[in-house]
Amino acid sequence: MYLEDLREAIIIGLFLAILLGPAFFALLETAAIKGFRAAISFDLGVIFADVIFISIAYLSTNKLLDKIKDDPSLFIFGGVLLTAYGVISLIKEKKSFNDQRAIDVELINKHNYFKLFLKGFLLNFINIGVLGFWLTIIITITPQLEMDQGRIIFFFSAVLFVYLLADILKILLAKTLKKKLTPTRIYNLKRIVSILMIIFGGVLLSKGLFPSSAQKIQNRIEKVAS
């Protein structure tokens, strides 16, 4: 049970780590210019904002999820939400293609770790799309965890831990990554991530619209994987 939860948590944690938003580029800039400790301080602020978003999303949907946890319409709602998020991101990325590196991290002293933590927190917290992301994850995942609080805490703790490990790797590779992430490559990567969101949204929709067929396909995939 927990092993399956961990597997899904690793997938979502890695997916979260490749989401290319302002915090992603600010983390690379901070690591390349100010060093490892400064970047970790910044990243902890980002993760703290995620913890708050998860709490808000879970508390606001907990009662609703408990009532409709066995309802296929939950997958339809989650699928529509994730697909819409992917489509909107795809459109926004095209519009902002020429304005992707407008992030200022030079103004903060590299030894002022609290300010870096605060900057990471605020940069992530003001991005309402992050709340939408966590809301979608909670709507689609928590019913599969049988609304068990122990499993839910384990799952989201594992997601954030994987996310932190992936960010540490990004910090260590910051100078190399910064040189390779040209505006064109950034744009293409963002498009890929948005398309993946649309695909995942389509999978959730199929689970809601055709539950028996989706379950058969999932069983076949699990047999092949094992």
Side-chain angles (χ1 to χ4, degrees):
M1 185 185 296
Y2 278 93
L3 192 60
E4 289 180 8
D5 296 346
L6 181 61
R7 184 179 61 184
E8 289 207 25
I10 290 171
I11 293 169
I12 292 174
L14 292 175
F15 184 74
L16 182 63
I18 64 168
L19 284 177
L20 304 180
F24 178 95
F25 298 108
L27 179 67
L28 292 186
E29 292 281 1
T30 305
I33 296 168
K34 302 182 183 304
F36 183 81
R37 290 182 183 178
I40 287 291
S41 300
F42 176 88
D43 197 41
L44 289 175
V46 172
I47 290 174
F48 184 59
D50 282 322
V51 171
I52 291 177
F53 275 140
I54 291 169
S55 302
I56 292 171
Y58 178 70
L59 291 173
S60 64
T61 58
N62 189 25
K63 290 183 180 178
L64 176 65
L65 288 170
D66 198 43
K67 288 179 183 177
I68 60 173
K69 61 182 178 181
D70 298 317
D71 191 342
S73 62
L74 192 65
F75 287 108
I76 296 173
F77 180 69
V80 169
L81 201 63
L82 192 58
T83 303
Y85 189 86
V87 171
I88 291 168
S89 297
L90 205 59
I91 294 168
K92 282 176 69 178
E93 282 143 23
K94 194 167 185 178
K95 288 181 179 179
S96 61
F97 177 52
N98 295 319
D99 188 29
Q100 299 191 41
R101 299 301 297 271
I103 299 167
D104 181 15
V105 294
E106 294 283 359
L107 296 177
I108 299 176
N109 186 292
K110 73 175 184 177
H111 298 300
N112 198 330
Y113 298 127
F114 177 73
K115 282 189 178 179
L116 285 162
F117 175 90
L118 191 60
K119 183 177 179 66
F121 171 78
L122 292 174
L123 195 60
N124 203 29
F125 193 74
I126 61 174
N127 186 357
I128 195 65
V130 178
L131 177 59
F133 172 83
W134 286 120
L135 186 62
T136 305
I137 296 299
I138 284 169
I139 286 172
T140 54
I141 294 294
T142 49
Q144 297 178 49
L145 301 176
E146 300 173 348
M147 305 302 293
D148 184 322
Q149 282 204 327
R151 290 178 68 188
I152 291 169
I153 291 170
F154 171 80
F155 176 82
F156 284 103
S157 297
V159 169
L160 292 176
F161 182 69
V162 171
Y163 177 43
L164 177 61
L165 289 181
D167 276 356
I168 289 172
L169 181 61
K170 284 188 284 188
I171 290 167
L172 294 173
L173 297 173
K175 290 188 184 295
T176 305
L177 287 173
K178 188 184 172 187
K179 291 175 184 176
K180 302 227 177 245
L181 288 174
T182 62
T184 302
R185 285 176 180 170
I186 291 168
Y187 174 63
N188 289 331
L189 282 170
K190 282 190 172 185
R191 286 184 67 193
I192 290 169
V193 171
S194 297
I195 290 167
L196 284 173
M197 283 185 184
I198 294 168
I199 292 169
F200 291 152
V203 171
L204 289 176
L205 275 171
S206 69
K207 278 190 175 184
L209 295 171
F210 314 104
S212 57
S213 301
Q215 188 59 48
K216 286 179 183 177
I217 293 170
Q218 187 174 334
N219 291 339
R220 286 178 187 172
I221 292 169
E222 287 176 355
K223 282 182 182 179
V224 172
S226 60

